[in-house]
Amino acid sequence: MAAGVWLHEMSVPTRHYIADIGQSGRTGMDALAARLRRLGDEAVVVDLRSPMAAAASDLLRYGARHDGGYWNTTGAARLVLVGELAPLMRADGCRMFAHGCVGGGNDQRRFARYGAQAAPELAVIEPWTDPRALERFPDRKAMLAAVVERGLPLDPGSGAERSTDANLAGVSHESAELEDLETPVSRLDPRWSAWPGQGPAEPETVTVGFRDGRVADVDGSGPDPVAWMTRANAIGARHGVWLRDVVERRIIGTVCRGVYEAPGLEVLGPAWTRILQASLDAPGRELYDRLAAVLGAAMYEARWLEPAAQAARAAIDRLVGDVGGSVTLSVRRGVVQVERTEVTGRVEQQTRFGSGGNRWSEVAAVRT
């Protein structure tokens, strides 16, 4: 929002696209749009929850994790924002797009790469690489003061000392305190979730259905990715299944601590892993893991649209395109345990003890 304030002060005609990617309730976004209009700028709220949920489905299908096994939710959001908003900007006659990402950071590179691929005709404005913007806003306190002065509502969890970047798939947490490796993660204030010890004492049973290599249902949600992602998020958040505290390798070659909150994907991950274990033979699973590592790096580095990532996705599609079944989980206080599995698969299952260990059965459905 500080970037928008600076553009307004520079008398740059600005149209704000406020994307609903599941980060918070719609009321706050509508209030922000209304306030921007009262200040003289154009503003529109765009519902991108469906493409964001589709991106979350891709993260799971392709195992797109980064250092420490955390889900690439922030990188996926950048792909969705550029891919979905660029056509609207072109249709509205925009000639450039601006973002408020830190100069020299991961997101600056992501927006630049996806912008060049998805909308090369739109010039990219990066305010925090402009000396005039840096002079006007030398730090986050100055940014916060300007935003508050204009009555612009803040995103939950964000301020001068801390910030969160959220979407339907998860949340990243940032602060100078958290970047210090000596700071215990317990100093974090989760945006959505409970800590494991705060969860219910009794476990919750959750059944996840898969069809054609994708989630088809989470406890009666139906196949709509927005519905099953929302249901999985609620379950994981309630039971304290959400946290990844990692030291990650960044695009610019440095390392930095990152703290991530992805309750839905952290619940669904073990179910998908069990489906893969029961459906792929040894060479297939080895190839899947290699390709997943390629795609994890591709999503993090904003190379998802490049040929190598396209080829990796096509190969995984061949591996898991007809995989299906259901996994029943027990979720309690930060722990996800597989209880039952039914897989519609292609792998022969050895019944070692039940048949003396010398017979194999090839069946349409494998139960474990």
Side-chain angles (χ1 to χ4, degrees), residues 97-251:
F97 76 84
H99 61 77
C101 300
V102 174
N106 279 348
D107 283 333
Q108 179 191 349
R109 307 244 176 152
R110 290 168 176 152
F111 277 113
R113 285 177 181 166
Y114 285 138
Q117 293 170 324
E121 73 282 10
L122 295 178
V124 179
I125 297 178
E126 299 169 336
W128 308 135
T129 62
D130 189 308
R132 297 169 295 177
L134 295 175
E135 181 180 2
R136 171 67 178 88
F137 295 112
D139 53 35
R140 291 183 60 88
K141 290 183 179 180
M143 297 179 192
L144 178 63
V147 169
V148 172
E149 179 183 347
R150 284 159 180 78
L152 300 174
L154 289 169
D155 190 52
S158 295
E161 304 299 329
R162 293 177 181 244
S163 70
T164 62
D165 192 310
N167 60 69
L168 188 63
V171 185
S172 64
H173 294 267
E174 296 182 358
S175 73
E177 182 184 36
L178 288 174
E179 288 177 359
D180 185 344
L181 298 182
E182 294 187 3
T183 301
V185 74
S186 57
R187 296 290 295 274
L188 173 71
D189 183 16
R191 177 159 170 159
W192 296 336
S193 306
W195 290 98
Q198 299 171 333
E202 294 299 317
E204 180 173 354
T205 300
V206 182
T207 300
V208 183
F210 294 90
R211 184 184 307 116
D212 298 330
R214 293 190 182 275
V215 175
D217 183 83
V218 176
D219 259 6
S221 67
D224 177 18
V226 174
W228 60 251
M229 193 72 242
T230 301
R231 180 72 57 84
N233 276 336
I235 294 167
R238 182 164 58 247
H239 291 277
V241 180
W242 55 275
L243 176 64
R244 294 279 173 160
D245 177 10
V246 302
V247 179
E248 66 190 65
R249 297 163 293 171
R250 296 173 66 80
I251 295 173

Side-chain angles (χ1 to χ4, degrees), residues 7-365:
L7 292 171
H8 182 84
E9 292 177 349
M10 297 289 289
S11 299
V12 176
T14 304
R15 180 177 176 83
H16 299 266
Y17 293 84
I18 303 168
D20 180 357
I21 51 177
Q23 68 271 41
S24 58
R26 181 62 180 265
T27 301
M29 298 178 216
D30 289 335
L32 174 59
R35 182 58 184 164
L36 288 167
R37 295 187 195 108
R38 286 197 295 272
L39 293 175
D41 289 342
E42 296 183 30
V44 59
V45 179
V46 184
D47 188 347
L48 299 183
R49 289 174 299 167
S50 288
M52 189 66 241
S57 178
D58 279 351
L59 292 178
L60 188 67
R61 177 183 177 92
Y62 300 117
R65 301 171 182 252
H66 193 53
D67 278 358
Y70 78 86
W71 298 98
N72 268 303
T73 60
T74 305
R78 296 344 178 208
L79 173 66
V80 170
L81 290 171
V82 176
E84 297 295 327
L85 293 179
L88 297 179
M89 294 178 181
R90 283 197 296 264
D92 290 340
C94 297
R95 293 178 296 174
M96 57 191 70
F97 76 84
H99 61 77
C101 300
V102 174
N106 279 348
D107 283 333
Q108 179 191 349
R109 307 244 176 152
R110 290 168 176 152
F111 277 113
R113 285 177 181 166
Y114 285 138
Q117 293 170 324
E121 73 282 10
L122 295 178
V124 179
I125 297 178
E126 299 169 336
W128 308 135
T129 62
D130 189 308
R132 297 169 295 177
L134 295 175
E135 181 180 2
R136 171 67 178 88
F137 295 112
D139 53 35
R140 291 183 60 88
K141 290 183 179 180
M143 297 179 192
L144 178 63
V147 169
V148 172
E149 179 183 347
R150 284 159 180 78
L152 300 174
L154 289 169
D155 190 52
S158 295
E161 304 299 329
R162 293 177 181 244
S163 70
T164 62
D165 192 310
N167 60 69
L168 188 63
V171 185
S172 64
H173 294 267
E174 296 182 358
S175 73
E177 182 184 36
L178 288 174
E179 288 177 359
D180 185 344
L181 298 182
E182 294 187 3
T183 301
V185 74
S186 57
R187 296 290 295 274
L188 173 71
D189 183 16
R191 177 159 170 159
W192 296 336
S193 306
W195 290 98
Q198 299 171 333
E202 294 299 317
E204 180 173 354
T205 300
V206 182
T207 300
V208 183
F210 294 90
R211 184 184 307 116
D212 298 330
R214 293 190 182 275
V215 175
D217 183 83
V218 176
D219 259 6
S221 67
D224 177 18
V226 174
W228 60 251
M229 193 72 242
T230 301
R231 180 72 57 84
N233 276 336
I235 294 167
R238 182 164 58 247
H239 291 277
V241 180
W242 55 275
L243 176 64
R244 294 279 173 160
D245 177 10
V246 302
V247 179
E248 66 190 65
R249 297 163 293 171
R250 296 173 66 80
I251 295 173
I252 59 175
T254 62
V255 296
C256 183
R257 186 187 193 182
V259 183
Y260 297 90
E261 182 179 354
L265 289 172
E266 292 292 344
V267 167
L268 297 172
W272 178 234
T273 296
R274 177 54 61 93
I275 290 288
L276 294 175
Q277 290 170 337
S279 299
L280 300 182
D281 59 13
R285 181 59 195 275
E286 181 182 3
L287 179 58
Y288 177 93
D289 289 342
R290 290 182 179 182
L291 295 171
V294 169
L295 290 170
M299 183 61 85
Y300 187 83
E301 298 173 2
R303 300 187 184 279
W304 194 255
L305 303 178
E306 296 181 3
Q310 293 177 15
R313 293 199 301 277
I316 286 182
D317 289 342
R318 287 289 301 273
L319 288 172
V320 305
D322 61 350
V323 166
S326 66
V327 179
T328 299
L329 306 168
S330 174
V331 185
R332 177 183 181 272
R333 292 190 169 175
V335 176
V336 180
Q337 178 67 48
V338 174
E339 296 289 338
R340 295 185 302 279
T341 308
E342 181 176 335
V343 177
T344 304
R346 304 151 291 180
V347 176
E348 298 174 349
Q349 183 188 17
Q350 182 181 15
T351 55
R352 293 178 296 176
F353 287 92
S355 62
N358 60 359
R359 290 203 306 274
W360 295 74
S361 60
E362 186 172 0
V363 295

